[in-house]
Amino acid sequence: MAISRVISVDGGGVRGIVPVIVLHRLTQEPGLADLLAKTDLFAGTSTGGLIALALASDLGLPAILDLYERRASTIFHTTWLHRIRDLDNLIGATYRLDNLRGQLHEVFGERRLADLRDRVLVPAFDLDNEAPDPAERTWKPKLFHNFPGDDSDGDRLAYQVATYTAAAPTYFPTADGFIDGGVFATNPAMCAIAQTQDPRNDAPDRGDLTQLVLLSLGTGRSLQYIEGSHDWGQLQWVRPLIDLMLDGVNGIADYQCRHLLRERYYRYAPTFEPGVTIGQDAVDQIPFLVDYAQHLDLRAVVEWLTERW
């Protein structure tokens, strides 16, 4: 099976409900009912990783919507005692990893990546490769996938991989030494292209770049900028630097994919109105996000999919 159609989904916490609704609306369009069934590879980081794993598991879009509309409030739940213990999260993560892992276990059960219907690629970051040689021991990006080959992660449990990719620093503790893949690939589209070309994969699964089409979905972008000049130190830069780096990673991946695939690549990344900022854990904003996604203009992406997919 050649990899010729890829869907990639960005990170973004609860904003992940936006691409889920977008996909649902797209599958209701004439001629696009089999959009997901015709997809060969689902790639996703953080919340996008949960979506990619769920789509590759053939769980169905209603089950994925449930992850946000019913389970997000449990995942992003904290207590006043927890906040006091962690000095209002100055010395500890905001939310409990057990809440995230438990909800994802309920969603994915004991499925392993090898059991999934489709190919999947999910970035995370390994804080310690545990190499026996001290000269090689370091942290490194990790791309979980179920392609064949010596580096396949087919034996990994889907809910564990989902936990790893969603363990965002400051929001959750580390998960078995892994953190959110968004630290290097918030937009995993370029990683997905590279995976289809990896010579370590067996020949039948290697994609032909000239035949590859890729739909990249964002989770909703806020307009942000820093006006003027600033003599900031570590404390002042921490929060804006995180957002700056995430937007930068998204942008460079989009640039690379656009130049590699040209008209065979489409990036759908809606931008919120000026002044609208939705945090990754803003559970109270889910009704707004649902309404926002339901009213997005999808005509251009529908036209592209109808012609290319």
Side-chain angles (χ1 to χ4, degrees):
M1 179 186 72
I3 303 298
S4 59
R5 299 180 183 89
V6 179
I7 291 179
S8 172
V9 187
D10 292 4
V14 297
R15 299 196 306 272
I17 198 170
V18 172
V20 174
I21 292 174
V22 166
L23 285 172
H24 176 71
R25 289 180 57 196
L26 290 174
T27 59
Q28 306 306 303
E29 292 288 333
L32 296 180
D34 59 351
L35 169 65
L36 301 178
K38 291 172 67 175
T39 301
D40 304 310
L41 169 63
F42 293 101
T45 300
S46 194
T47 195
L50 312 187
I51 295 169
L53 287 164
L55 292 173
S57 301
D58 197 24
L59 292 181
L61 291 170
I64 307 176
L65 282 171
D66 178 73
L67 178 62
Y68 295 92
E69 294 180 323
R70 187 171 67 87
R71 298 179 183 272
S73 59
T74 299
I75 292 172
F76 293 110
H77 174 74
T78 190
T79 65
W80 64 268
L81 185 61
H82 181 86
R83 295 176 69 91
I84 290 174
R85 186 195 66 188
D86 292 344
L87 301 182
D88 201 20
N89 307 122
L90 286 176
I91 59 171
T94 307
Y95 305 106
R96 295 180 59 200
L97 187 68
D98 286 347
N99 290 348
L100 173 65
R101 184 161 41 207
Q103 292 299 309
L104 294 176
H105 196 180
E106 288 186 17
V107 170
F108 292 104
E110 294 297 310
R111 290 181 179 85
R112 297 185 180 274
L113 296 193
D115 301 328
L116 305 187
R117 181 194 65 182
D118 302 300
R119 299 288 186 222
V120 68
L121 182 75
V122 180
F125 195 88
D126 186 356
L127 294 175
D128 181 2
N129 65 3
E130 299 182 347
D133 183 352
E136 297 181 359
R137 188 171 184 177
T138 186
W139 55 28
K140 63 181 180 66
K142 168 63 181 175
L143 295 165
F144 289 96
H145 66 81
N146 58 358
F147 283 73
D150 293 341
D151 66 340
S152 177
D153 301 293
D155 62 339
R156 292 277 191 165
L157 291 168
Y159 86 88
Q160 291 179 333
V161 174
T163 303
Y164 300 159
T165 192
T170 75
Y171 290 94
F172 295 102
T174 61
D176 299 334
F178 291 97
I179 59 173
D180 192 331
V183 298
F184 73 95
T186 308
N187 173 354
M190 192 62 198
C191 295
I193 292 178
Q195 183 65 35
T196 69
Q197 305 302 303
D198 192 333
R200 292 174 300 177
N201 301 326
D202 63 353
D205 276 330
R206 290 188 62 191
D208 180 355
L209 195 59
T210 64
Q211 301 299 315
L212 186 66
V213 290
L214 192 154
L215 173 63
S216 175
L217 298 174
T219 59
R221 172 173 165 264
S222 297
L223 295 170
Q224 300 185 81
Y225 57 89
I226 300 175
E227 187 177 6
S229 300
H230 304 276
D231 183 17
W232 285 352
Q234 296 179 19
L235 185 61
Q236 297 102 319
W237 268 114
V238 168
R239 181 52 61 185
L241 189 59
I242 291 174
D243 292 338
L244 184 153
M245 291 173 64
L246 294 180
D247 279 351
V249 169
N250 278 346
I252 195 62
D254 177 50
Y255 173 85
Q256 293 166 329
C257 292
R258 194 174 304 278
H259 282 270
L260 278 174
L261 299 183
R262 299 187 182 276
E263 71 279 356
R264 288 172 283 109
Y265 166 77
Y266 195 96
R267 170 78 169 162
Y268 188 76
T271 300
F272 299 126
E273 292 292 327
V276 175
T277 301
I278 310 293
Q280 295 193 42
D281 57 349
V283 176
D284 60 322
Q285 294 298 312
I286 288 179
F288 165 81
L289 292 169
V290 170
D291 181 72
Y292 174 79
Q294 288 175 341
H295 290 89
L296 287 169
D297 185 353
L298 302 181
R299 285 175 293 182
V301 66
V302 168
E303 181 179 350
W304 179 84
L305 286 168
T306 301
E307 179 182 356
R308 298 285 175 184
W309 211 257

